[in-house]
Amino acid sequence: PARTSSYRRRRKRSVDLNRSVSPQLMPSSMSSRMSDVDSNAAEAEAGYSSRRPSRRMSTASTKSIVSMRSYAGAAASPKIDNAEQVPTELLQPVDGDVDAALEHALHDASTAKEWEVAFRALELLRRIVVHSPDTVVAAPDGVPRLVEATRTCVANLRSSVSRAALLLLENVFTHLGRPISSHLTGLVPDLVKKAGESSTFMQEQVYSTLEAMVTHVALSRAIGTLCGEAESKNKLIRAAVAHAFTQLVVHRGSRAL
């Protein structure tokens, strides 16, 4: 027992001596290692160790991580496809040369390969139709070109572009009225066809556009084109046509039939 107690006392003095050694007296490798341990412990305690690269990481590795984070942020950024359509009452008039803006928008809506370009062109056309409808009517082939551009975008596979085209068509029916009536034969089949899709928001837009049509265009033209779609095999299309006739009676009276 006496020998064991003596050994424990010598062991304790040795440990105390090691703890009291100054860092300047330690070997360089041990001092560096302890500094790294202390630094890592401090970073972990402050909550930073999991959010920044190690101090020993190379500059190239650091740039690689920054680049990857930038790419991830860009991929997660909001897209136009998820943006809501601008309500008609919030559309602003076009500043500057409206004729040039109309020409540019018609060209982009008809020929654009990128859906973002077509989407912006449709919004520009809506602004022109709402605030400067006379410019569309007075332009050379303005109404026929507008109809063709709209039909092209209605058939677009991108739902945001197709819906924007339907919203443009609603504005066209409301603000152009009778000048668009002679083009219903080509527009209405494309319009009611979108009602056959399973998308709820697309069906709602079709119903709204049909209501604008039966309210503002020439009555005989509206009834004739709707009757041509009433025998569709698709029940969703038949429902859309029935809704259009209902709105026609609501807005123009039962005498219209």
Side-chain angles (χ1 to χ4, degrees), residues 3-244:
R3 184 175 301 175
T4 303
S5 298
S6 176
Y7 172 79
R8 288 177 178 175
R9 286 195 297 271
R10 290 197 302 271
R11 178 63 177 172
K12 185 176 182 303
R13 284 198 299 270
S14 176
V15 171
D16 293 340
L17 180 61
N18 289 336
R19 288 179 178 177
S20 63
V21 174
S22 174
Q24 288 81 2
L25 301 179
M26 291 183 180
S28 58
S29 59
M30 182 179 295
S31 176
S32 175
R33 193 175 306 168
M34 291 186 66
S35 298
D36 289 342
V37 171
D38 293 341
S39 176
N40 292 336
E43 289 181 357
E45 184 178 359
Y48 294 125
S49 59
S50 62
R51 286 182 286 176
R52 67 183 186 185
S54 171
R55 293 186 304 161
R56 293 187 178 183
M57 189 176 295
S58 65
T59 304
S61 299
T62 304
K63 290 182 179 180
S64 177
I65 288 181
V66 172
S67 177
M68 291 175 65
R69 289 178 178 173
S70 301
Y71 176 81
S77 60
K79 296 181 179 180
I80 295 179
D81 197 24
N82 298 328
E84 295 182 358
Q85 305 287 348
V86 179
T88 300
E89 59 272 15
L90 297 181
L91 291 173
Q92 299 298 317
V94 175
D95 296 331
D97 191 344
V98 181
D99 291 323
L102 175 62
E103 182 66 26
H104 180 74
L106 288 174
H107 176 270
D108 285 350
S110 302
T111 62
K113 296 181 180 180
E114 296 79 11
W115 67 268
E116 297 93 338
V117 176
F119 184 91
R120 296 189 182 95
L122 290 170
E123 184 172 315
L124 180 56
L125 287 173
R126 289 182 60 210
R127 294 168 59 191
I128 296 172
V129 167
V130 170
H131 294 285
S132 306
D134 294 339
T135 302
V136 180
V137 177
D141 295 329
V143 174
R145 292 181 62 196
L146 176 62
V147 170
E148 289 303 316
T150 305
R151 293 183 63 184
T152 299
C153 292
V154 167
N156 194 292
L157 297 179
R158 179 76 64 166
S159 60
S160 58
V161 175
S162 182
R163 187 186 180 192
L166 293 176
L167 192 53
L168 168 61
L169 201 53
E170 179 181 345
N171 297 144
V172 167
F173 289 144
T174 302
H175 295 275
L176 294 187
R178 290 185 178 274
I180 202 70
S181 299
S182 59
H183 299 276
L184 292 182
T185 304
L187 284 172
V188 171
D190 293 343
L191 175 58
V192 298
K193 182 180 179 181
K194 302 303 291 187
E197 298 184 1
S198 59
S199 173
T200 301
F201 77 87
M202 192 70 72
Q203 292 175 0
E204 291 175 351
Q205 185 56 59
V206 170
Y207 278 37
S208 180
T209 304
L210 285 173
E211 182 177 352
M213 183 191 77
V214 300
T215 304
H216 297 284
V217 303
L219 188 57
S220 58
R221 297 269 189 176
I223 294 176
T225 52
L226 286 174
C227 288
E229 302 299 323
E231 298 181 358
S232 173
K233 296 181 180 180
N234 190 315
K235 63 180 182 180
L236 296 177
I237 293 179
R238 295 197 304 271
V241 173
H243 172 80

